[in-house]
Amino acid sequence: MNLVCTECGESCNDSSSAWRCRCGAPLDLDFHPIYDFGCFAGREPGIWRYREALPVEDPSAPVTLGEGGTPLIESKILGRRLLLKLEYISPTGSFKDRGASVLISRARELGIERVIEDSSGNAGASIATYCAAAGIACEILVPEGTSPGKTAQIEAAGAKLVRIPGGREATADAARKRADKVFYASHYWNPFFFHGTKTFAFELVEQLGGRPPEAIVFPLGHGSLLYGTYIGFSELKRLGVINTLPALIGAQAAACSPFHHLHRGEVTLDSFTAGDTIAEGIRVTKPARAGQILRAIKETGGLVVAVDEEEIIEALAALTSSGFFVEPTSAVPLAAVKKLDSAWESVAIPLTGGGLKAPEIVARLAKGITGNSNCG
Ligand SMILES: *Cc1c(COP(=O)(O)O)cnc(C)c1O
Ligand SMILES: [Zn+2]
């Protein structure tokens, strides 16, 4: 399959194992499938019900563990009616399984025997698990201090786990150094991943009776779910299934919010420095696809919102005490919702990752707010 550069337009083949363009920019897939969306309706739930829309040569034998097909629940939380899509009910506990299934299916098709990936945890757990299912050897680099629930998943899947001191960017640098020798199964550089996450858009349209919500608020790190969703809705618009794209909104932790600063034209990525946040899944200071993701957000009439740590904790407590046991990162969009235009009637939020990956932290943070301590 053909890959094209997002900046200079040069193209190359995906069997060349190039993970970015010679000019340094990310590559997109030159893949514009034509399908009859209505025909998917009668099939088994899961991302492979959309197989004609997915970029593999032989979709009859994918690497699948039953990803996708997540519930959409309407709930009133913090005074606002929201559509919550329960992505944490996925084989490895996060939406990353949508992307991993497509990416690892393609890697197996290409005859790849070994991959490397860097991750704050969930992408690593997902890639490691799908590699286990595919019989592909796998090495995952994570920042020191990653939640034990995530590192346990990586090791249990039989992957080699490497802890890198010095934070998320140091981990990414270490992976890039190895990526010329080993297939880089990156959830933000490799465009096949985004064609897996685009199924999030397809499911929303099906679950809402053929129409997208008016707005969707994402926890925004590298943008693999936000941008995949953009690709999905753009395909549906090109095919005439929907008329307008929903506003795509990125929610970031104020302590680490490169997109928020870029959106307001304040900094370049080189000059951006970040503080710490409990939202470990979006502790990303140098998003690889910043340019194209900001363009997508603007095209849809979306925006980027930053929230502080107390607001994230308050939102987390509101979610867990409403029955949604999620990790702190997944509470960031709910914290952002109160800063949005209340004219939007249907606002959807992906609950991206489960609380079981770091149950003590979630309980401690949520208890501090709701006061449900056992000591009284
Ligand atoms: C990866 C992840 C995100 C952010 O996804 P990006 O692709 O980096 O924007 C959000 N929440 C959870 C739970 C994640 O694992
Ligand atoms: Zn280029």
Side-chain angles (χ1 to χ4, degrees):
M1 289 196 203
N2 236 30
L3 303 174
V4 282
C5 177
T6 53
E7 299 299 333
C8 78
E10 195 175 316
S11 65
C12 61
N13 193 274
D14 81 318
S15 59
S16 73
S17 83
W19 57 273
R20 63 176 170 184
C21 179
R22 281 190 297 182
C23 79
L27 297 163
D28 269 353
L29 205 49
D30 192 6
F31 177 70
H32 308 282
I34 293 172
Y35 45 84
D36 184 343
F37 192 69
C39 291
F40 300 145
R43 296 183 180 171
E44 290 283 303
I47 72 165
W48 292 94
R49 80 203 246 111
Y50 311 112
R51 52 187 171 266
E52 288 84 354
L54 300 179
V56 293
E57 262 142 43
D58 178 13
S60 69
V63 181
T64 179
L65 296 166
E67 59 292 327
T70 56
L72 184 70
I73 306 283
E74 198 178 306
S75 187
K76 192 169 182 191
I77 304 193
L78 292 179
R80 192 144 175 181
R81 198 149 279 291
L82 297 163
L83 297 160
L84 303 174
K85 191 146 168 66
L86 311 193
E87 291 297 288
Y88 64 101
I89 303 178
S90 296
T92 75
S94 85
F95 75 85
K96 302 287 195 319
D97 295 343
R98 296 178 186 273
S101 178
V102 171
L103 170 50
I104 298 305
S105 292
R106 182 60 184 158
R108 189 168 72 178
E109 219 165 54
L110 290 170
I112 302 296
E113 290 170 353
R114 171 169 215 96
V115 309
I116 186 168
E117 154 79 318
D118 57 286
S119 160
S120 66
N122 283 330
S126 186
I127 293 287
T129 301
Y130 281 79
C131 280
I136 293 175
C138 172
E139 190 176 322
I140 305 287
L141 279 55
V142 298
E144 234 174 29
T146 295
S147 291
K150 298 175 185 179
T151 53
Q153 276 182 300
I154 292 166
E155 294 195 291
K160 182 175 168 198
L161 175 76
V162 185
R163 291 189 175 84
I164 307 287
R168 183 71 187 86
E169 276 330 304
T171 307
D173 286 344
R176 282 197 286 272
K177 287 207 186 89
R178 303 261 287 116
D180 293 332
K181 299 198 191 75
V182 188
F183 184 88
Y184 188 20
S186 171
H187 64 289
Y188 51 99
W189 285 101
N190 191 305
F192 285 87
F193 196 93
F194 293 77
H195 282 263
T197 53
K198 80 182 178 188
T199 57
F200 179 78
F202 296 170
E203 288 180 15
L204 272 176
V205 169
E206 287 191 316
Q207 287 170 314
L208 294 171
R211 293 213 279 146
E214 283 168 280
I216 309 172
V217 193
F218 300 86
L220 180 57
H222 276 293
S224 72
L225 184 59
L226 189 153
Y227 197 72
T229 301
Y230 171 78
I231 295 175
F233 284 124
S234 299
E235 278 183 14
L236 296 185
K237 189 166 172 229
R238 172 171 57 78
L239 296 171
V241 178
I242 60 172
N243 298 322
T244 51
L245 303 181
L248 301 182
I249 296 155
Q252 297 211 288
C256 183
S257 52
F259 277 105
H260 185 241
H261 287 276
L262 289 171
H263 185 68
R264 292 161 24 149
E266 281 169 3
V267 292
T268 62
L269 282 181
D270 290 334
S271 61
F272 179 75
T273 54
D276 205 6
T277 170
I278 56 167
E280 73 174 357
I282 54 172
R283 223 183 262 156
V284 173
T285 49
K286 292 194 171 54
R289 293 176 179 267
Q292 72 177 154
I293 287 168
L294 280 174
R295 288 194 290 276
I297 288 172
K298 279 182 191 151
E299 182 193 326
T300 64
L303 70 161
V304 184
V305 180
V307 295
D308 60 35
E309 299 295 296
E310 291 75 58
E311 292 171 310
I312 300 171
I313 295 168
E314 185 199 359
L316 179 66
L319 282 166
T320 59
S321 63
S322 303
F324 303 100
F325 191 63
V326 296
E327 65 173 272
T329 308
S330 302
V332 173
L334 177 63
V337 155
K338 62 174 185 276
K339 305 187 177 183
L340 297 178
D341 185 353
S342 51
W344 279 319
E345 273 180 19
S346 67
V347 176
I349 289 180
L351 295 182
T352 49
L356 289 175
K357 307 240 186 174
E360 295 86 1
I361 292 174
V362 174
R364 181 165 49 73
L365 292 172
K367 258 187 188 171
I369 296 288
T370 55
N372 294 336
S373 95
N374 298 327
C375 313

